[in-house]
Amino acid sequence: MKKNYLFTSESVSEGHPDKVCDRISDMVVDTYLGAEPQSRVACETLTTTNKVVLAGEVRGPEIKKEDLIIKVRDCIKDIGYDQEGFTYKEATKIECHLHSQSSDIAMGVDSSGNKDEGAGDQGIMFGYACNETDVLMPAPIHYSHKILRLMAEDRKSGKLKNIEPDSKSQITIEYKDGKPSNVKSVVISTQHSADVNQSQVRELVKPYIEKSIPKELLNNLSEEEIYINPTGNFVIGGPDGDSGLTGRKIIVDTYGGAAPHGGGAFSGKDPTKVDRSAAYASRYLAKNIVASKIADKCLIQLAYAIGVSKPLSIYVDLFDNDEEKNEHVERLIRKNFDLSPRGIREMLGLNKPIYEKSAAYGHFGRDPGPDGSFSWENVDKKDIFSK
């Protein structure tokens, strides 16, 4: 692998049209899991100018469509949209087309007799961790998320004025000898009110670069390589400016392109779907391996077949050309971790309403919460590997 190179990752804010959809879909998941932990949910959301459409399959308690629509408006309000083309108020029309889960899918997934619960679908899932940041995430995606998260916090508190919910960030970092050395460029595009010009937007946004990125990485960043709203005016944004769909920002959700992605989105899916739960388990394994300090970075792949409980394969890459150590870690995983869908959910406590907060600013590199959220970010199993 190359030792000296440039690498770039991007993030999008909670007000990005696709992230609005992810938030709403995960709200639906949380609503059902909060009422019945064994609920099954697969919810997709579409947003466009003054319209939200929910569709998908559910199995669980009877939840009125009117109640879900109220919760959709609460999501939009919390994100910060009350604009002519998209608002939490009645001007935005909300349709709910959720229906019962297919009996064929349910039959393949459910446990019965001596049959353990099977995976909700076939697929491959990846987990990754590296020691570039204190949360064991790749630096470009971690700092891209942080810029937008801090901007959103100050926007909501009123500290950051004239900045609207829809924004994107992108950071390019120069690596030397395989380690982050310098930030080479930063791009931030943010929706703003009509009351400020581009020069004012630049002055509002620039402080968040310094707040988010370690000083030693910014020493060689020139003013010319800081791009704020490079296309100019950005007043019309959010679903009014561009339609949104659930699951279109899967690389933003994971590792910013620094590691493979299996292809499945997370948001809108209950934890029987291995697209979500096995990706979390893979991250949990990779993070504990790196936290044990036996490797600087780790990639895990798990593969599943619909209706089959155990993973078809487990792949480990510690990036140090030590095949014996890779095989040793794989044996430790097989011995110490139940990676069936049921085993993952019980290990990480996934049958809880914990997903709405994961919909923006990445599913990984977050602080575990007292409610059980981001449990896959704990490093409570690192001793298994350090031994």
Side-chain angles (χ1 to χ4, degrees):
M1 295 179 66
K2 292 173 65 177
K3 294 288 187 179
N4 302 317
Y5 54 93
L6 299 179
F7 194 83
T8 304
S9 294
E10 69 159 350
S11 179
V12 298
S13 72
E14 63 201 78
H16 185 281
D18 296 329
K19 280 289 148 207
V20 174
C21 294
D22 287 345
R23 166 80 177 265
I24 292 170
S25 292
D26 275 337
M27 174 277 293
V28 173
V29 173
D30 282 357
T31 299
Y32 276 90
L33 291 179
E36 169 50 62
Q38 304 304 318
S39 294
R40 303 285 171 81
V41 183
C43 175
E44 314 296 339
T45 303
L46 161 72
T47 60
T48 186
T49 302
N50 281 335
K51 176 161 280 195
V52 178
V53 180
L54 278 66
E57 302 78 46
V58 296
R59 187 177 65 172
E62 189 69 32
I63 295 176
K64 295 180 180 178
K65 290 185 177 181
E66 294 79 10
D67 293 339
L68 285 176
I69 289 172
I70 290 171
K71 287 177 176 285
V72 170
R73 296 194 188 279
D74 290 341
C75 289
I76 297 169
K77 183 177 182 180
D78 183 69
I79 291 169
Y81 278 116
D82 186 15
Q83 301 168 2
E84 184 179 346
F86 196 69
T87 175
Y88 67 92
K89 297 175 182 174
E90 294 297 323
T92 293
K93 306 304 178 186
I94 302 172
E95 301 176 15
C96 182
H97 300 285
L98 296 170
H99 60 82
S100 297
Q101 183 189 48
S102 159
S103 58
D104 290 345
I105 293 176
M107 179 178 62
V109 174
D110 289 347
S111 58
S112 61
N114 294 323
K115 175 184 174 294
D116 194 10
E117 176 187 306
D121 201 354
Q122 72 176 49
I124 54 174
M125 295 82 208
F126 288 96
Y128 181 73
C130 61
N131 60 7
E132 294 178 14
T133 60
D134 58 352
V135 293
L136 305 186
M137 283 289 287
I141 187 68
H142 177 64
Y143 299 129
S144 293
H145 285 322
K146 192 172 182 180
I147 288 172
L148 298 184
R149 180 172 51 80
L150 294 180
M151 285 174 58
E153 289 173 1
D154 284 356
R155 173 178 58 80
K156 290 180 175 183
S157 72
K159 185 177 178 180
L160 178 60
K161 301 183 185 302
N162 291 308
I163 296 298
E164 301 293 342
D166 190 1
S167 54
K168 303 175 76 172
S169 63
Q170 182 174 288
I171 296 177
T172 300
I173 292 182
E174 180 181 20
Y175 284 72
K176 292 183 179 178
D177 198 26
K179 299 292 183 182
S181 175
N182 295 292
V183 171
K184 295 294 286 185
S185 66
V186 177
V187 183
I188 302 173
S189 296
T190 184
Q191 186 186 15
H192 57 87
S193 75
D195 298 330
V196 289
N197 59 38
Q198 293 309 303
S199 176
Q200 290 170 313
V201 171
R202 185 179 183 89
E203 293 309 309
L204 287 169
V205 169
K206 271 184 60 181
Y208 292 91
I209 298 172
E210 295 182 0
K211 290 180 184 178
S212 304
I213 303 173
K215 188 175 181 180
E216 61 269 20
L217 293 179
L218 293 174
N219 288 334
N220 296 322
L221 180 63
S222 67
E223 191 72 21
E224 291 73 26
E225 294 299 326
I226 299 175
Y227 303 92
I228 309 294
N229 282 13
T231 59
N233 226 35
F234 188 0
V235 174
I236 300 172
D240 187 29
D242 192 8
S243 63
L245 287 170
T246 301
R248 282 206 299 198
K249 287 291 176 284
I250 56 176
I251 303 304
V252 169
D253 287 341
T254 54
Y255 308 102
H261 191 290
F266 301 156
S267 291
K269 298 176 182 177
D270 74 79
T272 65
K273 279 72 171 175
V274 285
D275 278 346
R276 179 166 226 159
S277 57
Y280 292 169
S282 301
R283 163 65 178 174
Y284 182 58
L285 293 171
K287 188 173 184 182
N288 276 272
I289 289 166
V290 174
S292 76
K293 300 189 184 303
I294 66 166
D296 290 341
K297 54 184 175 178
C298 173
L299 179 69
I300 302 285
Q301 185 205 57
L302 303 176
Y304 290 86
I306 189 168
V308 179
S309 63
K310 299 295 183 182
L312 305 183
S313 66
I314 301 173
Y315 169 81
V316 178
D317 188 355
L318 302 179
F319 299 92
D320 55 7
N321 297 315
D322 188 337
E323 189 172 336
E324 186 176 337
K325 185 163 74 168
N326 284 322
E327 292 173 354
H328 174 66
V329 169
E330 183 183 322
R331 288 193 296 270
L332 288 175
I333 291 171
R334 292 183 183 277
K335 179 181 178 181
N336 292 282
F337 297 89
D338 179 357
L339 296 175
S340 66
R342 184 198 303 275
I344 291 172
R345 291 204 317 279
E346 292 176 353
M347 174 176 67
L348 298 178
L350 298 181
N351 282 102
K352 300 174 183 176
I354 56 175
Y355 299 105
E356 189 177 339
K357 65 181 69 177
S358 72
Y361 313 117
H363 292 245
F364 308 129
R366 310 285 291 275
D367 292 331
D371 59 351
S373 57
F374 304 106
S375 57
W376 49 92
E377 291 298 307
N378 285 308
V379 289
D380 52 344
K381 302 294 185 183
K382 61 183 180 181
D383 289 348
I384 290 173
F385 303 102
S386 60
K387 293 176 183 177

